[in-house]
Amino acid sequence: MKKCIAALLLLFMTNISYAQERFILNSPDKKTSITIKTGERSTWSIEHDGTSVLTTSEIGIQLSNGTFLGRNTGKVKSIREAYSGSFKTPFYRKSEILDEFNELRLETKKGYGLIFRAYDDGVAYRFFTEFDADLTIGNEVSDFNFDEDYKIYIPYVTDLRGPEEWVQAFEATYDEHKLSETKDSLAFLPILVELKDGKKALITESDLQDYPGMYLVKNPANAQSLKAKFAPIVLETYHGGIGDMDLLAKKRADYIAKVNGNREFPWRTVIISEKDIDLLDNDMVQKLAEPSRISDVSWIKPGKISWDWWNDWYLTGVDFEAGINTQTYKYYIDFAANNGLEYIIIDDGWSGRLDLFEINPDLDLPHIINYAKSKNVDVILWSSWFAFIQDMEGICKKYSEMGAVGFKVDFFDRDDQEVVSSVYKMADVAAKHHMILDYHGFFKPQGIQRTYPNVLNFEGVKGMENVKWTPDDDVPRYDTSIPFIRQVAGPMDYTPGATRNRNKENFTASFSMPQSQGTRAHQVAMYVVFEAPLQMLSDTPTAYEKEQETTDFIAQIPTVFDEVAPLLGTVGEEVAIARRKGNIWYIGALGNWEARTMTIDLSFLGKGNFSAEIFKDGINASRNAEDYKVERIDVNSAIKIEASLATGGGWAAIIKKK
């Protein structure tokens, strides 16, 4: 009997061993390795050059019928591929992206599988299914387990737009604390984790299509762990939030998505940096996204925008009453034309908030658009998400025929399946009518700008508008954090350009005459540091006309580039970046509230002699944040410039070959 039990036990253990398989996938430079195990549960772990990035962490998708993709996988088939190539990126921080990775495809005999990729600067995985019938996704498991109680930079859901946790503006500064101190709250992506030896791990996602966005929450089973959570499908809605423009959930389902049974799911990615500045030039989200569906992009035009809402239409010294009217917008157009700006935007108020066919009678919209075109300026219109999706085909047709070239769509405030699916539909319809889009009130970018290049910018950042009502935020620290975290996911509609600049001691919040935290040079440097193919000039035209030297400097800075050269940086402390467009280099540097001197190494310039126009903090900028100085000097690649930044300071340069 004992021999029989022993034989059965041996047979059982043999079967278990047979079912549990282990695979290793290395990056092209062999520094990063993923260990994947399948069998009873599917897990992955990540190591980078001897440093643990993730310890064994479960991954899986649970269907509403109880089936669990990733558990009890049985024998799997493995297919390996090494890829090396590149692709063009016309509206990005660089003109071309090198794309090199090793891939492992695991296929089960149960109609699904997993794809893993290892790049030199990060790793990713995604599920795929090959079922004939549609699937209802009950939940997804994606754990992120770490070997120590590391520090994290985490943006919690704080700005709730309704009574439930899933409706919010995706705007938050970063809480900085240990993994074990994670709050009982949703946190949205990207999230940054400090590892050993100065390394960082950034968690985000890419190619999010027809599927809810991923949040992270504390893992009750492991204090050194975060786990995924997803917004359930909305079954019933009502209007609420600011101006009743949000479509809020009255009732949600007990599942997160209904999808086609034959599809690929979003990429879950962990970006790995050896030093902080590596994060300033990481293209993982772009590389993992679906290639462009638009074959001809010649009609898509990036550029700078004279914006109305932030400055509350606060014109001075004019002979008409400023506001949402024809005369005001003609003034904005004249300002844009005089300073070489490509666009103006007509924000909230030109139409009914819930009906875009209801035009404000104080505006002669066709006349404004035609007047703008006569000045070589184009007009972008504002819309709430709800208003736009009511008849996106009719709206795009009507206003493209009128001459408007795009929409700034606002108040998404959700990223459940319904909203994410609409984002792609909107981009597709807009592209058919040659219209560009700026997604405001939006979750982080996740690669759609590669798939639909007419989507040029995204909010999902706690930008300049927040200084109007959140005086306790540490804005300079946030400004020196987001280039390493939020911006890794893609462009940011931060909307810089304030001319009323204040120091920490004398800053006050004001809605109609808003100020900035930090110096004038800090604001100017944002135009280089912050990526935005559609970039706002947020202050009023008459303010810029009184500060023409500042305006002239900003107007020279392009919004897309050919090359990026990270210079220096530490998360939350300081950042300096050089960007090239054609033969001209642009440098931007930002500091937090601590004054500092940064050494700007110009070795990236290459051979030759150059002239540099420098916009820097004035000697009294720590007392008066509007104090600045512009100087012109000769430079070459052997020079290192000592840039002095005041508290909340900045430094910028435009360098041309002589």
Side-chain angles (χ1 to χ4, degrees):
M1 184 65 178
K2 290 182 179 179
K3 289 183 179 180
C4 182
I5 292 174
L8 287 172
L9 183 60
L10 179 61
L11 178 62
F12 177 73
M13 292 175 64
T14 301
N15 288 337
I16 290 293
S17 177
Y18 181 78
Q20 291 178 334
E21 296 184 87
R22 181 174 179 270
F23 305 88
I24 294 178
L25 179 66
N26 294 319
S27 60
D29 65 4
K30 302 189 186 315
K31 285 187 176 182
T32 303
S33 64
I34 312 172
T35 300
I36 303 112
K37 295 179 182 178
T38 61
E40 184 180 1
R41 295 172 184 263
S42 294
T43 65
W44 72 329
S45 59
I46 309 164
E47 187 175 279
H48 178 272
D49 203 17
T51 301
S52 172
V53 179
L54 280 189
T55 60
T56 301
S57 303
E58 184 178 6
I59 53 180
I61 294 177
Q62 185 176 12
L63 306 184
S64 61
N65 64 8
T67 302
F68 205 115
L69 312 183
R71 291 185 180 175
N72 302 315
T73 56
K75 184 70 174 177
V76 300
K77 176 183 177 182
S78 63
I79 304 168
R80 294 180 182 269
E81 178 187 2
Y83 178 83
S84 179
S86 64
F87 58 90
K88 301 291 185 181
T89 51
F91 313 115
Y92 190 53
R93 70 168 80 108
K94 59 182 66 169
S95 57
E96 188 172 8
I97 290 178
L98 181 66
D99 192 15
E100 293 184 344
F101 59 85
N102 291 329
E103 181 176 284
L104 173 64
R105 181 183 177 94
L106 300 179
E107 299 177 351
T108 73
K109 296 179 180 179
K110 299 183 178 183
Y112 73 91
L114 279 155
I115 303 170
F116 293 86
R117 283 189 186 174
Y119 296 81
D120 289 346
D121 54 0
V123 299
Y125 79 87
R126 76 187 321 173
F127 276 85
F128 66 89
T129 53
E130 297 173 333
F131 299 112
D132 293 330
D134 290 349
L135 303 175
T136 300
I137 311 299
N139 193 24
E140 180 179 339
V141 173
S142 188
D143 293 345
F144 297 88
N145 301 330
F146 297 90
D147 67 330
E148 290 188 14
D149 193 13
Y150 294 120
K151 178 181 177 180
I152 56 174
Y153 298 79
I154 185 166
Y156 290 106
V157 172
T158 56
D159 183 17
L160 296 180
R161 295 297 173 89
E164 59 155 5
E165 62 182 347
W166 301 108
V167 181
Q168 42 99 21
F170 302 96
E171 299 173 359
T173 55
Y174 297 106
D175 281 33
E176 302 175 26
H177 54 65
K178 298 290 188 182
L179 279 161
S180 61
E181 297 167 352
T182 302
K183 298 177 182 178
D184 289 316
S185 173
L186 291 173
F188 54 89
L189 303 178
I191 289 171
L192 187 66
V193 182
E194 287 192 355
L195 304 172
K196 296 174 184 174
D197 306 318
K199 297 178 183 179
K200 300 285 195 304
L202 185 135
I203 303 169
T204 192
E205 60 187 340
S206 183
D207 207 24
L208 177 65
Q209 299 194 43
D210 194 30
Y211 201 79
M214 183 170 72
Y215 295 80
L216 293 180
V217 296
K218 70 186 300 181
N219 188 342
N222 182 349
Q224 297 171 188
S225 172
L226 301 168
K227 64 188 295 96
K229 192 172 182 180
F230 301 85
I233 277 183
V234 174
L235 298 177
E236 297 179 23
T237 61
Y238 70 98
H239 285 288
I242 298 174
D244 282 343
M245 287 185 287
D246 279 308
L247 196 61
L248 304 181
K250 187 175 182 180
K251 182 180 179 182
R252 288 187 181 267
D254 59 358
Y255 49 88
I256 65 172
K258 286 191 172 183
V259 300
N260 188 298
N262 192 338
R263 64 161 292 169
E264 293 177 330
F265 289 78
W267 288 104
R268 311 301 176 206
T269 182
V270 179
I271 292 166
I272 303 164
S273 68
E274 295 189 41
K275 50 188 182 298
D276 288 6
I277 64 169
D278 295 341
L279 294 165
L280 302 176
D281 186 23
N282 185 285
D283 305 309
M284 280 280 288
V285 172
Q286 296 294 307
K287 289 185 286 192
L288 292 166
E290 179 188 341
S292 178
R293 297 180 186 175
I294 302 175
S295 56
D296 175 19
V297 299
S298 61
W299 55 271
I300 302 171
K301 182 175 71 174
K304 292 184 286 295
I305 304 171
S306 179
W307 182 35
D308 52 3
W309 181 88
W310 190 81
N311 55 71
D312 201 22
W313 299 267
Y314 207 96
L315 299 178
T316 58
V318 298
D319 57 2
F320 56 87
E321 186 174 345
I324 305 173
N325 56 51
T326 300
Q327 288 177 296
T328 297
Y329 285 109
K330 290 180 74 172
Y331 197 99
Y332 278 79
I333 291 164
D334 289 341
F335 165 73
N338 292 338
N339 290 279
L341 310 183
E342 290 81 1
Y343 298 101
I344 71 157
I345 198 165
I346 305 180
D347 211 288
D348 182 23
W350 72 270
S351 70
R353 281 181 163 177
L354 303 181
D355 183 358
L356 296 185
F357 296 107
E358 178 188 317
I359 299 177
N360 185 334
D362 292 333
L363 290 175
D364 185 343
L365 190 58
H367 175 71
I368 291 171
I369 292 172
N370 289 331
Y371 182 78
K373 288 190 179 298
S374 75
K375 299 277 188 173
N376 200 31
V377 174
D378 281 312
V379 174
I380 296 171
L381 302 173
W382 179 93
S383 171
S384 68
W385 170 74
F386 173 80
F388 195 81
I389 64 170
Q390 296 313 296
D391 183 6
M392 62 182 78
E393 180 68 44
I395 289 164
C396 287
K397 183 177 188 298
K398 176 181 175 68
Y399 291 107
S400 64
E401 290 176 351
M402 191 181 290
V405 299
F407 276 91
K408 173 183 175 180
V409 186
D410 203 348
F411 289 98
F412 290 80
D413 292 343
R414 291 163 36 198
D415 64 347
D416 47 53
Q417 186 184 22
E418 177 187 13
V419 173
V420 173
S421 296
S422 75
V423 165
Y424 283 82
K425 293 175 185 175
M426 291 162 57
D428 188 64
V429 171
K432 290 176 183 176
H433 294 274
H434 283 194
M435 300 197 89
I436 59 175
L437 294 172
D438 175 5
Y439 285 159
H440 207 70
F442 189 75
F443 49 94
K444 83 282 176 191
Q446 31 64 38
I448 190 176
Q449 65 270 40
R450 182 183 177 193
T451 311
Y452 282 102
N454 60 318
V455 183
L456 285 172
N457 210 0
F458 310 81
E459 196 179 21
V461 65
K462 195 165 190 182
M464 277 283 292
E465 66 181 20
N466 285 273
V467 303
K468 291 159 74 89
W469 53 73
T470 54
D472 295 329
D473 285 347
D474 185 343
V475 177
R477 184 166 185 83
Y478 185 64
D479 293 344
T480 53
S481 298
I482 51 178
F484 305 94
I485 307 174
R486 161 60 183 83
Q487 190 166 272
V488 179
M492 305 187 302
D493 198 10
Y494 185 98
T495 69
T499 61
R500 286 177 293 274
N501 316 111
R502 300 292 183 266
N503 304 106
K504 190 174 186 179
E505 295 77 15
N506 54 25
F507 171 81
T508 58
S510 171
F511 190 89
S512 292
M513 298 186 69
Q515 307 167 1
S516 76
Q517 288 190 25
T519 68
R520 174 72 58 80
H522 188 99
Q523 289 291 307
V524 171
M526 288 177 177
Y527 286 91
V528 181
V529 176
F530 292 170
E531 297 170 14
L534 282 180
Q535 181 64 279
M536 306 287 179
L537 273 71
S538 64
D539 221 326
T540 179
T542 51
Y544 287 124
E545 288 164 346
K546 293 172 184 175
E547 300 286 349
Q548 195 61 48
E549 189 173 44
T550 298
T551 307
D552 289 343
F553 195 96
I554 293 171
Q556 296 180 68
I557 302 171
T559 63
V560 295
F561 299 87
D562 297 318
E563 183 181 355
V564 57
L567 301 180
L568 56 88
T570 302
V571 179
E573 301 291 332
E574 61 184 9
V575 58
I577 302 175
R579 304 187 191 276
R580 179 182 60 81
K581 181 67 174 179
N583 295 320
I584 303 175
W585 280 95
Y586 305 83
I587 305 176
L590 301 174
N592 61 14
W593 279 127
E594 182 180 342
R596 68 192 62 240
T597 297
M598 302 168 71
T599 301
I600 307 297
D601 186 338
L602 300 182
S603 58
F604 60 85
L605 289 175
K607 296 180 180 179
N609 294 313
F610 300 79
S611 61
E613 182 181 2
I614 296 172
F615 195 108
K616 64 182 184 178
D617 291 324
I619 195 167
N620 293 305
S622 289
R623 296 175 59 193
N624 176 3
E626 293 178 6
D627 186 31
Y628 72 89
K629 183 178 181 180
V630 174
E631 65 179 10
R632 291 164 179 84
I633 62 173
D634 292 333
V635 297
N636 57 53
S637 61
I639 287 177
K640 295 181 180 179
I641 298 176
E642 297 299 307
S644 296
L645 276 66
T647 60
W651 188 93
I654 300 172
I655 303 179
K656 301 177 181 179
K657 199 160 191 176
K658 297 181 71 173

